[in-house]
Amino acid sequence: MSDSNKTDFTNPSTFILLGTPGLEAAHIWISIPVCAMYIIAVLGNFTILIIVKKELSLHGPMYYFLCMLAVTDLVLPTFILPKTLNIFWFNSREIDFSSCLTQMYFIHCFFMMESGISVAMAFDRYVAICNPLRHSSILTNRVVAKIGLTVVLLGGMLILPYILLVRQWPYCRNNISHTHCEHLAAVKLTCADTHISNYYGVFVLFCVLALDMFFITVSYTQILRAIFRIPTKDARLKTFGTCVSHLCAISAFYMPGLFSSLMYQHVQNVALNFHVLIANVYLLVPPMLNPIIYGVRTKQIRNRLLQLFSHKGT
C-alpha cells in the first residue's frame, strides 16, 4: 500500500481534510459553538437585508454598503460550514481537488470583498460626518454601484493567481491540516518551489489589505477629529460610541486573518490546531458580530426591528 504522505503526483484526485489535529475527540463539542455562530450570522444578516428592502427610508448609501456586507457575511461562512460539519459529525474528510480549489477561491475572494466593503463603509461615514452637506451628491446610487462592482472585480482578480498556482504544482502529500481548503495550508503540501506564491501572498497582504487598513485608519481619524468638535456632549458621546463599535468590528475582521496568515508564513512552532481555530475565528466571528454592531447599533434599523417585534407581540 502506498503512503499518501510520500506519494509524488501533480494533481491529486482528492485532498484529505484533517479537521483540528490533536482535538479529534472534541470535534462534536467544537461543532456546537461553530453552529451557534453560523446560525446567529444567518439570522442577523438576513434580518438586515429584509429590513433594508422593506423600509424605503433606508434606501441610501450607508444601508446599501451594509447590505453588501450582509451578503458577504452570508456567503463566506457558508462555503466552509457544510464540509466542516461533515468532518466534525461524520468524519467525512475527503474533498475533490476541483471542489477544494473552488472553495479556496471563494473563501479568499469574499474575504477580499469584505475588506473592500469595510473601506467603502469607512469612506461613507467619513463623508457623512465630516462633509454632511455634500454626502448625497458625492455618494450617489451610481457611485455606490460602481464601488460595489469594483470591490467584486478586484476581489475576484486578486485571488485568481492563488488558484492558478495551486493548480499547477506537484504535490507530495494530500493531507490538509484544516477544516477547509486554506491556501497556505495547501501550499505546505507541494514538492515545488513556492516562492512565487509566497511573494504574491505578501503582496496581497501588505499592499492590498494593509492599504485597506490604512484608508480605514485615516477615515476614522478624521471622523474622530470631527466628533471632538461637536459642541453637544451627548451627541459627541453617542457618535463616538458608534465609531468605537465600528472599529471593534473592523478589528475583529482584520486581526485574526492577518495573525493567521503571518503565523503560517513566518512562525513554525505553533500548534496546528491553534492555526485551524484562528482561521475559523476570522471566517465565523465577523459575520456573527457585524449584524449586531452595524445593524442593532444603527438607530433606524433598531427602531424598525423593534416595530416588527412589537407588531408580532400585539
Side-chain angles (χ1 to χ4, degrees):
M1 182 180 294
S2 62
D3 187 350
S4 62
N5 288 335
K6 297 180 181 179
T7 303
D8 187 6
F9 39 74
T10 302
N11 284 344
S13 58
T14 60
F15 278 122
I16 308 297
L17 297 172
L18 300 181
T20 54
L23 297 177
E24 290 84 358
H27 274 176
I28 294 294
W29 296 106
I30 296 173
S31 71
I32 295 174
V34 167
C35 283
M37 286 188 286
Y38 180 70
I39 291 170
I40 294 171
V42 169
L43 291 176
N45 287 294
F46 264 123
T47 301
I48 287 177
L49 290 173
I50 292 169
I51 289 176
V52 173
K53 181 181 178 181
K54 288 187 174 182
E55 190 63 41
L56 294 178
S57 63
L58 301 182
H59 290 186
M62 172 183 172
Y63 302 102
Y64 291 148
F65 288 134
L66 189 57
C67 286
M68 294 179 197
L69 186 68
V71 171
T72 305
D73 284 339
L74 284 170
V75 174
L76 189 59
T78 300
F79 268 102
I80 71 165
L81 196 75
K83 189 59 187 177
T84 299
L85 293 183
N86 267 323
I87 296 170
F88 287 163
W89 291 348
F90 309 112
N91 202 31
S92 175
R93 303 185 177 196
E94 288 192 0
I95 184 170
D96 181 74
F97 182 72
S98 297
S99 300
C100 185
L101 294 186
T102 301
Q103 186 190 59
M104 186 186 301
Y105 175 77
F106 282 105
I107 288 172
H108 291 282
C109 181
F110 276 89
F111 182 84
M112 293 298 298
M113 289 181 196
E114 183 150 348
S115 178
I117 294 168
S118 297
V119 176
M121 293 178 72
F123 177 69
D124 170 71
R125 290 298 82 208
Y126 163 74
V127 177
I129 293 174
C130 299
N131 202 349
L133 297 178
R134 296 189 59 198
H135 183 260
S136 58
S137 61
I138 293 174
L139 284 168
T140 62
N141 288 345
R142 185 181 181 87
V143 171
V144 171
K146 286 182 178 180
I147 292 174
L149 183 61
T150 301
V151 167
V152 172
L153 293 177
L154 192 62
M157 289 189 297
L158 283 171
I159 299 304
L160 191 58
Y162 280 156
I163 309 306
L164 297 177
L165 289 169
V166 169
R167 190 174 186 85
Q168 72 177 8
W169 285 329
Y171 288 85
C172 297
R173 296 173 293 159
N174 66 341
N175 295 335
I176 298 180
S177 300
H178 225 297
T179 57
H180 58 269
C181 290
E182 168 69 30
H183 172 256
L184 292 174
V187 167
K188 291 183 176 292
L189 307 180
T190 65
C191 307
D193 183 356
T194 60
H195 279 91
I196 295 176
S197 179
N198 292 335
Y199 292 147
Y200 185 73
V202 171
F203 164 76
V204 171
L205 187 65
F206 289 102
C207 296
V208 180
L209 292 180
L211 198 60
D212 286 352
M213 294 178 66
F214 172 76
F215 286 134
I216 291 171
T217 302
V218 170
S219 296
Y220 275 97
T221 300
Q222 296 300 316
I223 289 170
L224 291 173
R225 289 178 61 186
I227 288 172
F228 287 116
R229 289 197 295 265
I230 297 175
T232 309
K233 183 179 179 180
D234 290 341
R236 186 165 61 243
L237 290 175
K238 183 178 179 181
T239 310
F240 180 76
T242 301
C243 287
V244 168
S245 64
H246 288 187
L247 288 172
C248 290
I250 292 168
S251 299
F253 170 71
Y254 280 111
M255 292 302 106
L258 291 173
F259 183 61
S260 176
S261 180
L262 291 172
M263 277 199 309
Y264 263 115
Q265 296 190 46
H266 303 293
V267 181
Q268 304 298 325
N269 57 350
V270 176
L272 281 175
N273 50 37
F274 185 70
H275 276 296
V276 175
L277 293 175
I278 289 294
N280 281 288
V281 163
Y282 83 78
L283 293 177
L284 288 171
V285 171
M288 176 188 69
L289 291 180
N290 286 339
I292 299 171
I293 293 176
Y294 289 114
V296 174
R297 287 189 62 87
T298 302
K299 182 179 178 181
Q300 292 87 338
I301 292 179
R302 184 172 66 248
N303 290 344
R304 182 59 178 165
L305 191 61
L306 290 173
Q307 288 176 13
L308 289 175
F309 280 112
S310 62
H311 288 164
K312 288 181 179 180
T314 303

